[in-house]
Amino acid sequence: MRLKEAWRRFSRAQVDEFLRTGHEGRDHPSRLTTLALLAGMSSVLDVGCGTGVMYELVRERRPDLDYLGVDVTAQFVHAARARFPEAAARFQEGSLYALDRLGRTFDAVLARHVLEHLPDYTPAVQHLWSRARRKLIIVFYLPPRPLRFRRRRDERFEKGFYTHTYDLGRFVEHLLDGLEPRPAELRIHPRQGTSDPHFAWGDRANVVYEVLRAAP
């Protein structure tokens, strides 16, 4: 399913600034927590890498980390390559549903602000998990929350954005029991900074889910 998100129509200036400046820039608490969770990892696949903001942090603070970014939005990948021409090969255009084409796995797989825009997290999380040797890190700006009558998701159509808030119980249950192979542990890191206050969801704090594989 190809979602008609606003960022596909961004101008060059909007692309260059997207999630890079202002309230949600490179020093956002959720990014810094993610970087801390990569301690001890030797490689990371950043799915939904955008214009390379996470790579900028990795390059500065973890230059030893083997980084690869993938994004389905072509203009974001082009902007990342233009910003970091010496590392252009570290950014690839592609879908998270086709990660097997990479032909390799990574110590950690990161998906920041991705699942909110998908019709169903179930296949997406399995694709991400299949590329992770040691852990999967998921960052939500619209964190799962308890929904009435055990609905799977609460759908919202903000201007230009197709978003979901997923049911907390069902999402956690899927992470614990629905992945193959079954994870060894799930750690949840709440209160990881809010989103842009200009948006309707700006008062919600990011939440980081850290899903760990069993030791080999």
Side-chain angles (χ1 to χ4, degrees):
M1 180 178 181
R2 185 174 177 84
L3 304 180
K4 296 181 179 180
E5 299 288 4
W7 55 73
R8 298 186 187 277
R9 302 184 298 275
F10 276 2
S11 67
R12 178 59 186 270
Q14 288 175 304
V15 168
D16 287 343
E17 294 181 2
F18 186 61
L19 298 183
R20 179 173 295 280
T21 62
H23 189 82
E24 297 187 79
R26 49 163 279 167
D27 293 321
H28 192 274
S30 68
R31 295 189 192 276
L32 300 180
T33 294
T34 296
L35 193 66
L37 295 179
L38 293 175
M41 303 293 107
S42 63
S43 59
V44 61
L45 173 63
D46 183 6
V47 179
C49 66
T51 61
V53 181
M54 198 66 206
Y55 174 70
E56 186 176 347
L57 279 174
V58 167
R59 184 183 66 167
E60 178 183 305
R61 306 186 189 190
R62 283 292 312 279
D64 60 301
L65 195 61
D66 179 14
Y67 173 98
L68 180 64
V70 173
D71 203 289
V72 73
T73 306
Q75 59 262 47
F76 286 171
V77 175
H78 295 160
R81 289 173 173 170
R83 186 176 297 273
F84 307 105
E86 76 289 349
R90 294 185 181 273
F91 303 99
Q92 296 187 20
E93 182 184 350
S95 167
L96 68 81
Y97 300 107
L99 295 178
D100 56 346
R101 70 177 177 78
L102 298 176
R104 59 172 291 196
T105 57
F106 302 77
D107 276 357
V109 173
L110 165 64
R112 182 180 186 273
H113 297 186
V114 171
L115 297 188
E116 292 94 332
H117 301 291
L118 303 180
D120 184 7
Y121 59 78
T122 305
V125 173
Q126 184 61 54
H127 279 283
L128 296 166
W129 182 240
S130 69
R131 296 295 102 191
R133 286 194 297 266
R134 298 176 61 183
K135 68 170 64 175
L136 168 62
I137 302 169
I138 301 169
V139 185
F140 282 99
Y141 70 91
L142 289 176
R145 57 169 54 173
L147 300 180
R148 295 181 64 190
F149 310 118
R150 288 277 290 174
R151 286 183 299 156
R152 186 178 182 85
R153 66 191 183 207
D154 182 18
E155 192 168 275
R156 291 281 184 261
F157 292 88
E158 304 292 343
K159 185 177 181 180
F161 290 92
Y162 175 65
T163 59
H164 296 304
T165 297
Y166 291 113
D167 179 74
L168 177 61
R170 290 190 176 198
F171 182 70
V172 169
E173 181 180 19
H174 180 72
L175 291 186
L176 290 173
D177 298 321
L179 295 179
E180 180 62 38
R182 186 174 180 177
E185 186 178 355
L186 170 63
R187 300 172 183 171
I188 303 176
H189 308 269
R191 298 182 296 279
Q192 298 299 317
T194 58
S195 296
D196 189 325
H198 293 95
F199 286 103
W201 56 78
D203 60 336
R204 298 201 208 178
N206 282 225
V207 174
V208 179
Y209 285 79
E210 182 185 13
V211 191
L212 287 83
R213 282 186 179 266

